[in-house]
Amino acid sequence: MPCTHLPLLLLVLVFLFPLSACAKNNKAITIIKGNQTILSLQSIFRLGFFIPSTNGNWYLGIWYASSPKPVYVWVANRNRPVSDPDSSTLELTSTGYLILSNSRDGVVWRTDNKDPATGYRFSDSGNLILTGKNGSPVWQSFQNPTDTWLPGMNVTSRTAFTSWRTPSDPSPGLYSLRLSPSFNEFQLLHNETTPYWSTGNWTGESFLGVPEMTVPYIYSFHFDYPYTPAASFRYIVTPTSDSAPGVGQPRLSRFVVDSNGQLKQWTSEMQNWITFWSQPEDQCRVHALCGQLGFCSSTSKLLTPSACMCIRGFLPKNAAAWESMDYSDGCSREYGDSCDGRDTFEAVGDLRYDGVVQMSRLPQVSKSSCEKSCLGNCSCVGFYHNYKSNLCKMLLEPPMNIKNSSSWTGTTDDVLYIRDQIKKSSKRSVSTSIIILCCVVGSISVLGSTLFVLLILLRKSEKTKKEEEDGFAVLNLKVFSFKELHKATNGFSEKLGHGGFGAVFKGTLHDSSTFVAVKRLERPGSGEGEFRAEVCTIGNIQHVNLVRLRGFCSENLHRLLVYDYMPNGSLSSYLSRTSPKLLSWETRFRIALGTAKGIAYLHEGCRDCIIHCDIKPENILLDSDYNAKVSDFGLAKLVGRDFSRVLATMRGTWGYVAPEWISGLPITTKADVYSFGMTLLELIGGRRNVVSDTPGGEKEEKEPEKWFFPPWAAREIIQGNVDSVVDARLNGEYNSEEATRMATVAIWCIQDNEEIRPAMGTVVKMLEGVVEVTVPPPPKLIQALVSGDSYNGVGNGLSGTSCSEGRGCSDLMTGLSSPGSRSSFGGKPPPSL
Ligand SMILES: *[C@@H]1O[C@H](CO)[C@@H](O)[C@H](O)[C@H]1NC(C)=O
Ligand SMILES: *[C@@H]1O[C@H](CO)[C@@H](O)[C@H](O)[C@H]1NC(C)=O
Ligand SMILES: *[C@@H]1O[C@H](CO)[C@@H](O)[C@H](O)[C@H]1NC(C)=O
Ligand SMILES: *[C@@H]1O[C@H](CO)[C@@H](O)[C@H](O)[C@H]1NC(C)=O
Ligand SMILES: *[C@@H]1O[C@H](CO)[C@@H](O)[C@H](O)[C@H]1NC(C)=O
Ligand SMILES: *[C@@H]1O[C@H](CO)[C@@H](O)[C@H](O)[C@H]1NC(C)=O
């Protein structure tokens, strides 16, 4: 026995000696203790302990120092949280490892570097680096990422990004992103096994399924050694000139595999995070999102926060998890699983699933024998029966990825029947008493609220008898009947105009002194409830430079909006050279400033930011004093959330469309800034940007060909020749300081890179002269449009592939490449008018 101890003792001696020697030379370095944090060099990232939910679990992580709401980009101990930060430390041990320990929980996390580290660095890219003797990295957080892919981070065959379990639980979730085993594409995987989305193969400059990568924008992607095990992919955010007004900090950006399986790219703008891109676009294409027997509906998430539901007769297996947005456990029967020969079947409709499910096919079987076969096998959860072919397909395990067949292409005559448990009598009595209790409580509260409502109504009816005649008021909005509006507009006889969303008619309310403009929405995309919700949002937005919504009508398929009437019409009617009406410089400047204030209010003043999406002179109305009022805000959302309708209507007026529209990328408020810049040019020049003889457009007799004003105007303005751009009909009667400011702001607004464009609030200050306006760089894309070269690549990249979402990209490209619009305007002056 003593003999066996001898080698052990030797071993201990051998190991202890160098260890203690090391400890003498190299003291352990405590990096973080308790609630301390460290900042990267330029204070972009912060490293420290954080607690993502209220369950008492603390983690060591990295987050953006400037974000008001913490956004975590890296977590060290995602598998083993610590119970408190006060007794936790992050230290670089004397042996050269980074360890995270807690006096109670011990060592919960450590690095696995091969060479010992002697120092560390926390870079401004968000990388925590351990350095060895010669200063070279021996371990990097960038090589051990969590769920976030930051600019500058190299993705190799050894890197995987794994989602958080839920938005407030950093432990590893079910979804991950990795380079495929053939090193040529990225894949999103469920449970590390089932791929459900991929980028498509690398083509040399982009992935097949992500052609938008090639759009010349602030991101650039690099793929070194594709198709080999040494493959390494990264992206960087191109630095932009910091001289841009209103843009203080570089744009932050990150890709995240979110806990519900989507890969999302976020960018920050003025302290806000905006989803810039995401895949799969349809959340329901995320594999197993709703678990077994869960049902995914992409449209439902407009009304409820989650896309997941249980099919009829089923409840979430783990209600608490569903509550925290983890649906992976799926659904189970209300009364638990059992196998009873008396079970019944319920038709749940034409639901389909995808993925592999163990199944047994019985050809030429009637529905009742199909049912019988299913009853005889306890693994059978239900069956599909086709009444035409009499094909019976028994499901021997609960299916996942169940969707409504309406979101499916192709139809069959299959109907899904799901096994329904015989309800146990004891359980039924429990549930009955619950139901009774609910009924009692429910009826009491219904009674209470009815009384309350009655009281309010009584008081209201005393106060506003007159209003009652027009219908009842919703907030400050009046609900009109269709009949009323039909009468008010004299049978929709006096048409004021036709906008992107429908025709507008003049109307008179019953007191016959108040004029209104009634907009009849064409092809309204939304249902009644959604329409009302949106209208209430729009109705609550009030600003002197926004047209006021007075009320609405939503009856059967009619959707009408009733606005204040603007006696001086739209700005567009003053912009024709043949128009007899001329706006003075003072009025033009006031319109520019008012419009900017109205849009700025939409962007920054409301509770939810509203992107107008269709700023153009037609949507800028003038009241009796020529004050600008922006109209049609909020409608883009109402008519179609995917903007496809807006895009379609923009085809004719592509001069206002920001480059991001073309790239098919999500749109931010800066798209409005771009359109506003284009509108400013028209206001200064007293002319349209595109002079054409399109049907319905104005005909300019002397114009031999179409001519695109902005590139020429931009060049003149940048060279300081603002005079040549200002409307000649003013005969020089304008404030040249204001004109220079306005013209320069216009060019800032139409910058290709949305980051350089000032925010609308800044535009207001620039116009007011509160913020200095420097000389902008020339916007290149509009030049390219007329010279017709460099932009071709984008067109080719986009045509044919992933613009299938009905976004109308191809429509737009048609508009851009129409032969007339790029005829010949390299540097020519405007044709004489
Ligand atoms: C950090 O902890 C110390 C001691 O526990 C406390 O005095 C101090 O206020 C804390 N600081 C912050 C910023 O919470
Ligand atoms: C990523 O790869 C590039 C090129 O191989 C290299 O220059 C860069 O240092 C790498 N970045 C990191 C963080 O390892
Ligand atoms: C994930 O995969 C493991 C092993 O392949 C399996 O045991 C587990 O049940 C799977 N989890 C889910 C949610 O599919
Ligand atoms: C993608 O690349 C792989 C491996 O090189 C190849 O087998 C596959 O056919 C390619 N797919 C497409 C759609 O080109
Ligand atoms: C259910 O049916 C499948 C396929 O026919 C069979 O493999 C399985 O053993 C059956 N299970 C029972 C419990 O009968
Ligand atoms: C499937 O879609 C149809 C039509 O949109 C709808 O009536 C039905 O209720 C949906 N089914 C489920 C289970 O939601």
Side-chain angles (χ1 to χ4, degrees):
M1 278 305 264
C3 289
T4 50
H5 274 116
L6 195 64
L8 197 73
L9 195 72
L10 273 176
L11 210 75
V12 168
L13 276 176
V14 164
F15 269 84
L16 266 182
F17 195 69
L19 262 178
S20 50
C22 273
K24 257 176 218 150
N25 298 342
N26 257 349
K27 264 182 68 195
I29 310 168
T30 300
I31 300 175
I32 286 176
K33 195 166 171 44
N35 61 6
Q36 297 167 339
T37 59
I38 58 173
L39 281 168
S40 66
L41 205 60
Q42 292 181 46
S43 302
I44 295 174
F45 288 97
R46 195 182 281 280
L47 173 73
F49 290 100
F50 69 95
I51 180 164
S53 73
T54 51
N55 62 5
N57 286 339
W58 287 82
Y59 298 88
L60 177 81
I62 296 176
W63 60 94
Y64 292 97
S66 63
S67 237
K69 244 180 82 184
V71 172
Y72 306 105
V73 299
W74 183 73
V75 183
N77 54 326
R78 59 191 310 196
N79 287 306
R80 287 188 65 188
V82 289
S83 46
D84 70 304
D86 293 339
S87 48
S88 302
T89 40
L90 176 70
E91 63 176 2
L92 188 56
T93 63
S94 53
T95 47
Y97 299 100
L98 191 61
I99 67 167
L100 174 56
S101 59
N102 177 281
S103 58
R104 219 172 318 161
D105 311 316
V107 175
V108 297
W109 178 82
R110 62 180 300 153
T111 56
D112 56 357
N113 43 309
K114 291 195 179 70
D115 302 320
T118 53
Y120 71 94
R121 218 165 50 204
F122 184 29
S123 83
D124 275 317
S125 53
N127 195 3
L128 179 63
I129 304 159
L130 298 184
T131 49
K133 276 214 180 67
N134 55 2
S136 64
V138 295
W139 181 93
Q140 306 181 40
S141 65
F142 267 20
Q143 287 173 357
N144 299 271
T146 309
D147 63 341
T148 305
W149 176 19
L150 292 170
M153 205 170 196
N154 294 330
V155 187
T156 66
S157 54
R158 292 177 305 280
T159 323
F161 301 90
T162 306
S163 68
W164 284 27
R165 184 83 203 183
T166 73
S168 55
D169 177 3
S171 65
L174 284 166
Y175 299 103
S176 54
L177 175 75
R178 63 151 200 211
L179 210 49
S180 74
S182 46
F183 317 111
N184 59 344
E185 60 182 331
F186 279 91
Q187 295 175 320
L188 282 171
L189 302 176
H190 173 260
N191 204 13
E192 296 182 351
T193 46
T194 316
Y196 58 93
W197 179 81
S198 87
T199 56
N201 286 349
W202 179 250
T203 62
E205 55 175 15
S206 70
F207 293 105
L208 266 181
V210 197
E212 58 268 31
M213 284 172 69
T214 59
V215 169
Y217 196 53
I218 55 173
Y219 302 107
S220 56
F221 299 88
H222 304 271
F223 203 167
D224 295 332
Y225 317 112
Y227 296 90
T228 71
S232 171
F233 190 81
R234 67 186 188 279
Y235 75 103
I236 53 168
V237 182
T238 317
T240 50
S241 82
D242 283 327
S243 61
V247 183
Q249 47 180 248
R251 172 166 287 208
L252 305 175
S253 178
R254 63 198 161 99
F255 282 88
V256 179
V257 182
D258 84 2
S259 57
N260 284 335
Q262 277 173 307
L263 176 61
K264 286 193 172 146
Q265 185 186 18
W266 296 85
T267 77
S268 89
E269 180 164 309
M270 307 284 160
Q271 308 253 306
N272 283 321
W273 285 98
I274 296 161
T275 316
F276 185 74
W277 178 90
S278 70
Q279 284 292 350
E281 253 177 86
D282 180 357
Q283 200 177 12
C284 291
R285 291 192 46 198
V286 172
H287 181 67
L289 178 66
C290 303
Q292 291 182 334
L293 294 166
F295 169 85
C296 190
S297 162
S298 2
T299 49
S300 74
K301 67 173 180 260
L302 299 176
L303 308 172
T304 61
S306 112
C308 287
M309 289 177 287
C310 288
I311 63 175
R312 213 182 311 150
F314 286 71
L315 289 176
K317 229 180 232 174
N318 182 345
W322 274 57
E323 203 59 17
S324 64
M325 295 172 74
D326 173 7
Y327 315 108
S328 57
D329 286 332
C331 306
S332 60
R333 286 185 188 85
E334 242 172 298
Y335 299 99
D337 288 329
S338 76
C339 184
D340 191 313
R342 291 170 299 161
D343 287 347
T344 56
F345 288 89
E346 188 166 5
V348 290
D350 198 2
L351 300 180
R352 315 285 174 82
Y353 66 90
D354 63 13
V356 183
V357 169
Q358 210 196 335
M359 206 163 65
S360 169
R361 287 163 184 273
L362 307 172
Q364 296 299 325
V365 174
S366 71
K367 196 195 133 209
S368 58
S369 4
C370 192
E371 215 172 285
K372 218 175 269 162
S373 311
C374 188
L375 277 181
N377 189 324
C378 285
S379 335
C380 182
V381 287
F383 60 89
Y384 278 99
H385 188 258
N386 187 314
Y387 67 92
K388 279 192 181 150
S389 65
N390 267 336
L391 180 67
C392 165
K393 286 182 275 187
M394 291 201 296
L395 298 169
L396 297 175
E397 60 179 312
M400 291 197 282
N401 304 313
I402 302 178
K403 271 169 260 189
N404 204 331
S405 65
S406 56
S407 57
W408 218 263
T409 49
T411 52
T412 68
D413 301 306
D414 286 353
V415 176
L416 175 60
Y417 298 87
I418 288 283
R419 190 175 190 141
D420 204 5
Q421 240 64 33
I422 282 285
K423 294 163 183 71
K424 301 291 176 287
S425 53
S426 61
K427 279 182 176 165
R428 181 178 288 171
S429 68
V430 168
S431 66
T432 319
S433 54
I434 288 175
I435 289 171
I436 290 171
L437 191 71
C438 287
C439 287
V440 172
V441 172
S443 44
I444 288 173
S445 57
V446 165
L447 207 74
S449 44
T450 313
L451 274 176
F452 184 70
V453 168
L454 270 178
L455 268 175
I456 287 181
L457 282 181
L458 272 173
R459 287 172 75 176
K460 241 205 166 113
S461 69
E462 282 162 21
K463 238 166 59 189
T464 58
K465 268 234 164 66
K466 190 157 150 277
E467 215 168 60
E468 288 268 289
E469 289 163 19
D470 297 329
F472 54 95
V474 172
L475 297 170
N476 43 7
L477 292 179
K478 232 181 252 176
V479 182
F480 293 91
S481 71
F482 185 71
K483 217 173 104 194
E484 260 177 298
L485 291 182
H486 192 269
K487 188 166 153 241
T489 56
N490 206 358
F492 300 103
S493 54
E494 195 178 340
K495 192 164 165 179
L496 294 171
H498 197 114
F501 304 99
V504 186
F505 302 90
K506 189 173 176 178
T508 323
L509 290 193
H510 67 101
D511 56 9
S512 69
S513 60
T514 317
F515 293 116
V516 290
V518 178
K519 177 165 284 231
R520 198 163 67 183
L521 298 182
E522 279 169 5
R523 285 184 274 157
S526 54
E528 168 95 24
E530 205 182 311
F531 178 79
R532 278 179 184 254
E534 287 303 337
V535 162
C536 283
T537 311
I538 299 171
N540 275 329
I541 300 168
Q542 297 193 8
H543 185 269
V544 286
N545 296 112
L546 298 174
V547 177
R548 188 166 75 104
L549 183 68
R550 301 177 69 101
F552 65 94
C553 161
S554 173
E555 239 179 68
N556 303 324
L557 287 176
H558 299 297
R559 301 279 185 274
L560 298 104
L561 298 170
V562 181
Y563 290 101
D564 279 348
Y565 173 71
M566 293 293 134
N568 279 317
S570 79
L571 177 59
S572 61
S573 62
Y574 300 87
L575 295 176
S576 154
R577 294 246 154 161
T578 52
S579 159
K581 301 178 277 186
L582 188 68
L583 294 172
S584 70
W585 177 258
E586 187 270 331
T587 306
R588 291 182 202 216
F589 192 74
R590 210 150 39 81
I591 290 172
L593 192 55
T595 306
K597 284 179 176 171
I599 304 171
Y601 185 76
L602 289 178
H603 289 181
E604 293 152 23
C606 309
R607 213 162 49 106
D608 301 311
C609 149
I610 289 186
I611 306 174
H612 188 292
C613 291
D614 200 13
I615 295 289
K616 57 185 178 186
E618 283 78 1
N619 285 334
I620 297 165
L621 306 184
L622 303 173
D623 73 3
S624 50
D625 296 322
Y626 290 92
N627 291 312
K629 307 249 183 187
V630 177
S631 78
D632 272 12
F633 53 90
L635 295 191
K637 207 174 161 197
L638 188 64
V639 172
R641 280 163 199 266
D642 62 355
F643 299 116
S644 57
R645 285 274 299 135
V646 188
L647 270 175
T649 62
M650 277 182 168
R651 189 157 54 134
T653 51
W654 57 271
Y656 307 96
V657 179
E660 345 26 309
W661 282 105
I662 302 157
S663 65
L665 296 173
I667 296 305
T668 71
T669 53
K670 294 295 182 69
D672 283 351
V673 173
Y674 188 94
S675 311
F676 176 71
M678 285 296 193
T679 303
L680 274 190
L681 288 179
E682 300 194 319
L683 192 56
I684 297 165
R687 50 163 295 139
R688 303 314 301 252
N689 279 338
V690 189
V691 177
S692 67
D693 51 4
T694 48
E698 60 200 47
K699 228 183 174 91
E700 307 247 341
E701 301 299 335
K702 289 182 222 156
E703 207 76 45
E705 56 188 31
K706 292 178 188 180
W707 192 73
F708 193 38
F709 180 57
W712 178 82
R715 218 167 14 245
E716 294 294 306
I717 291 167
I718 289 167
Q719 287 168 5
N721 306 330
V722 175
D723 290 353
S724 62
V725 177
V726 176
D727 193 349
R729 291 175 299 169
L730 290 172
N731 291 323
E733 285 173 27
Y734 63 92
N735 177 327
S736 76
E737 197 237 330
E738 281 176 359
T740 305
R741 231 188 290 152
M742 200 161 134
T744 317
V745 170
I747 305 306
W748 273 115
C749 289
I750 60 170
Q751 293 295 312
D752 304 336
N753 180 345
E754 61 175 289
E755 190 183 344
I756 297 186
R757 290 175 221 151
M760 217 57 211
T762 311
V763 168
V764 171
K765 294 200 187 96
M766 289 162 97
L767 286 173
E768 282 172 335
V770 182
V771 167
E772 196 199 345
V773 189
T774 52
V775 176
K780 295 199 183 65
L781 284 182
I782 50 170
Q783 305 283 356
L785 283 178
V786 287
S787 56
D789 34 53
S790 67
Y791 218 65
N792 280 346
V794 180
N796 296 339
L798 283 171
S799 60
T801 36
S802 79
C803 281
S804 54
E805 315 308 325
R807 306 185 71 128
C809 297
S810 51
D811 285 356
L812 213 66
M813 292 316 298
T814 319
L816 284 171
S817 55
S818 72
S821 58
R822 69 157 66 124
S823 38
S824 56
F825 305 104
K828 276 203 287 176
S832 57
L833 289 163

mmCIF file of all heavy atoms in Angstrom, residues 431-447:
data_model
loop_
_atom_site.group_PDB
_atom_site.id
_atom_site.type_symbol
_atom_site.label_atom_id
_atom_site.label_comp_id
_atom_site.label_asym_id
_atom_site.label_seq_id
_atom_site.Cartn_x
_atom_site.Cartn_y
_atom_site.Cartn_z
ATOM 1 N N SER A 431 -62.836 20.760 -14.541
ATOM 2 C CA SER A 431 -62.846 21.850 -15.508
ATOM 3 C C SER A 431 -64.207 22.525 -15.541
ATOM 4 O O SER A 431 -64.300 23.727 -15.778
ATOM 5 C CB SER A 431 -62.453 21.341 -16.887
ATOM 6 O OG SER A 431 -63.436 20.465 -17.350
ATOM 7 N N THR A 432 -65.272 21.729 -15.303
ATOM 8 C CA THR A 432 -66.588 22.354 -15.296
ATOM 9 C C THR A 432 -66.674 23.390 -14.187
ATOM 10 O O THR A 432 -67.169 24.496 -14.394
ATOM 11 C CB THR A 432 -67.692 21.302 -15.108
ATOM 12 O OG1 THR A 432 -67.380 20.180 -15.879
ATOM 13 C CG2 THR A 432 -69.037 21.846 -15.503
ATOM 14 N N SER A 433 -66.143 23.007 -13.006
ATOM 15 C CA SER A 433 -66.260 23.980 -11.918
ATOM 16 C C SER A 433 -65.430 25.215 -12.233
ATOM 17 O O SER A 433 -65.815 26.327 -11.898
ATOM 18 C CB SER A 433 -65.839 23.361 -10.588
ATOM 19 O OG SER A 433 -64.562 22.808 -10.699
ATOM 20 N N ILE A 434 -64.294 24.983 -12.905
ATOM 21 C CA ILE A 434 -63.503 26.156 -13.298
ATOM 22 C C ILE A 434 -64.314 27.033 -14.237
ATOM 23 O O ILE A 434 -64.373 28.251 -14.105
ATOM 24 C CB ILE A 434 -62.184 25.719 -13.968
ATOM 25 C CG1 ILE A 434 -61.248 25.152 -12.900
ATOM 26 C CG2 ILE A 434 -61.511 26.904 -14.661
ATOM 27 C CD1 ILE A 434 -59.976 24.586 -13.436
ATOM 28 N N ILE A 435 -64.972 26.355 -15.169
ATOM 29 C CA ILE A 435 -65.764 27.104 -16.133
ATOM 30 C C ILE A 435 -66.855 27.894 -15.422
ATOM 31 O O ILE A 435 -67.069 29.082 -15.686
ATOM 32 C CB ILE A 435 -66.372 26.159 -17.195
ATOM 33 C CG1 ILE A 435 -65.252 25.655 -18.104
ATOM 34 C CG2 ILE A 435 -67.437 26.857 -18.006
ATOM 35 C CD1 ILE A 435 -65.670 24.571 -19.051
ATOM 36 N N ILE A 436 -67.506 27.223 -14.458
ATOM 37 C CA ILE A 436 -68.572 27.908 -13.731
ATOM 38 C C ILE A 436 -68.011 29.124 -13.006
ATOM 39 O O ILE A 436 -68.544 30.227 -13.088
ATOM 40 C CB ILE A 436 -69.268 26.948 -12.734
ATOM 41 C CG1 ILE A 436 -70.063 25.919 -13.528
ATOM 42 C CG2 ILE A 436 -70.180 27.710 -11.779
ATOM 43 C CD1 ILE A 436 -70.621 24.803 -12.687
ATOM 44 N N LEU A 437 -66.865 28.916 -12.320
ATOM 45 C CA LEU A 437 -66.244 30.003 -11.606
ATOM 46 C C LEU A 437 -65.942 31.167 -12.570
ATOM 47 O O LEU A 437 -66.246 32.324 -12.298
ATOM 48 C CB LEU A 437 -64.954 29.512 -10.946
ATOM 49 C CG LEU A 437 -64.334 30.489 -9.949
ATOM 50 C CD1 LEU A 437 -65.195 30.544 -8.701
ATOM 51 C CD2 LEU A 437 -62.916 30.072 -9.612
ATOM 52 N N CYS A 438 -65.364 30.784 -13.716
ATOM 53 C CA CYS A 438 -65.019 31.805 -14.698
ATOM 54 C C CYS A 438 -66.258 32.562 -15.136
ATOM 55 O O CYS A 438 -66.230 33.784 -15.286
ATOM 56 C CB CYS A 438 -64.382 31.174 -15.935
ATOM 57 S SG CYS A 438 -62.721 30.625 -15.623
ATOM 58 N N CYS A 439 -67.345 31.783 -15.335
ATOM 59 C CA CYS A 439 -68.575 32.411 -15.794
ATOM 60 C C CYS A 439 -69.050 33.431 -14.777
ATOM 61 O O CYS A 439 -69.437 34.542 -15.126
ATOM 62 C CB CYS A 439 -69.664 31.375 -16.022
ATOM 63 S SG CYS A 439 -69.347 30.422 -17.492
ATOM 64 N N VAL A 440 -69.006 33.015 -13.480
ATOM 65 C CA VAL A 440 -69.494 33.912 -12.437
ATOM 66 C C VAL A 440 -68.631 35.176 -12.405
ATOM 67 O O VAL A 440 -69.131 36.294 -12.511
ATOM 68 C CB VAL A 440 -69.477 33.208 -11.066
ATOM 69 C CG1 VAL A 440 -69.788 34.204 -9.956
ATOM 70 C CG2 VAL A 440 -70.483 32.080 -11.060
ATOM 71 N N VAL A 441 -67.296 34.949 -12.325
ATOM 72 C CA VAL A 441 -66.392 36.089 -12.282
ATOM 73 C C VAL A 441 -66.572 36.939 -13.536
ATOM 74 O O VAL A 441 -66.696 38.150 -13.486
ATOM 75 C CB VAL A 441 -64.919 35.608 -12.176
ATOM 76 C CG1 VAL A 441 -63.967 36.785 -12.338
ATOM 77 C CG2 VAL A 441 -64.704 34.942 -10.839
ATOM 78 N N GLY A 442 -66.651 36.211 -14.669
ATOM 79 C CA GLY A 442 -66.795 36.895 -15.949
ATOM 80 C C GLY A 442 -68.039 37.746 -15.983
ATOM 81 O O GLY A 442 -67.986 38.933 -16.321
ATOM 82 N N SER A 443 -69.169 37.169 -15.539
ATOM 83 C CA SER A 443 -70.397 37.940 -15.671
ATOM 84 C C SER A 443 -70.406 39.123 -14.718
ATOM 85 O O SER A 443 -70.919 40.182 -15.051
ATOM 86 C CB SER A 443 -71.625 37.053 -15.463
ATOM 87 O OG SER A 443 -71.435 36.224 -14.365
ATOM 88 N N ILE A 444 -69.759 38.933 -13.556
ATOM 89 C CA ILE A 444 -69.699 40.077 -12.650
ATOM 90 C C ILE A 444 -68.916 41.203 -13.300
ATOM 91 O O ILE A 444 -69.352 42.347 -13.334
ATOM 92 C CB ILE A 444 -69.031 39.692 -11.310
ATOM 93 C CG1 ILE A 444 -69.995 38.814 -10.513
ATOM 94 C CG2 ILE A 444 -68.680 40.929 -10.492
ATOM 95 C CD1 ILE A 444 -69.398 38.233 -9.262
ATOM 96 N N SER A 445 -67.765 40.823 -13.887
ATOM 97 C CA SER A 445 -66.954 41.888 -14.464
ATOM 98 C C SER A 445 -67.631 42.489 -15.703
ATOM 99 O O SER A 445 -67.540 43.682 -15.943
ATOM 100 C CB SER A 445 -65.550 41.382 -14.807
ATOM 101 O OG SER A 445 -65.631 40.301 -15.684
ATOM 102 N N VAL A 446 -68.327 41.627 -16.457
ATOM 103 C CA VAL A 446 -69.047 42.149 -17.624
ATOM 104 C C VAL A 446 -70.111 43.134 -17.159
ATOM 105 O O VAL A 446 -70.255 44.237 -17.685
ATOM 106 C CB VAL A 446 -69.684 41.006 -18.439
ATOM 107 C CG1 VAL A 446 -70.726 41.554 -19.406
ATOM 108 C CG2 VAL A 446 -68.622 40.249 -19.203
ATOM 109 N N LEU A 447 -70.825 42.739 -16.094
ATOM 110 C CA LEU A 447 -71.865 43.593 -15.545
ATOM 111 C C LEU A 447 -71.269 44.933 -15.128
ATOM 112 O O LEU A 447 -71.769 45.998 -15.469
ATOM 113 C CB LEU A 447 -72.496 42.898 -14.331
ATOM 114 C CG LEU A 447 -73.928 43.277 -14.049
ATOM 115 C CD1 LEU A 447 -74.846 42.625 -15.073
ATOM 116 C CD2 LEU A 447 -74.318 42.845 -12.640
#
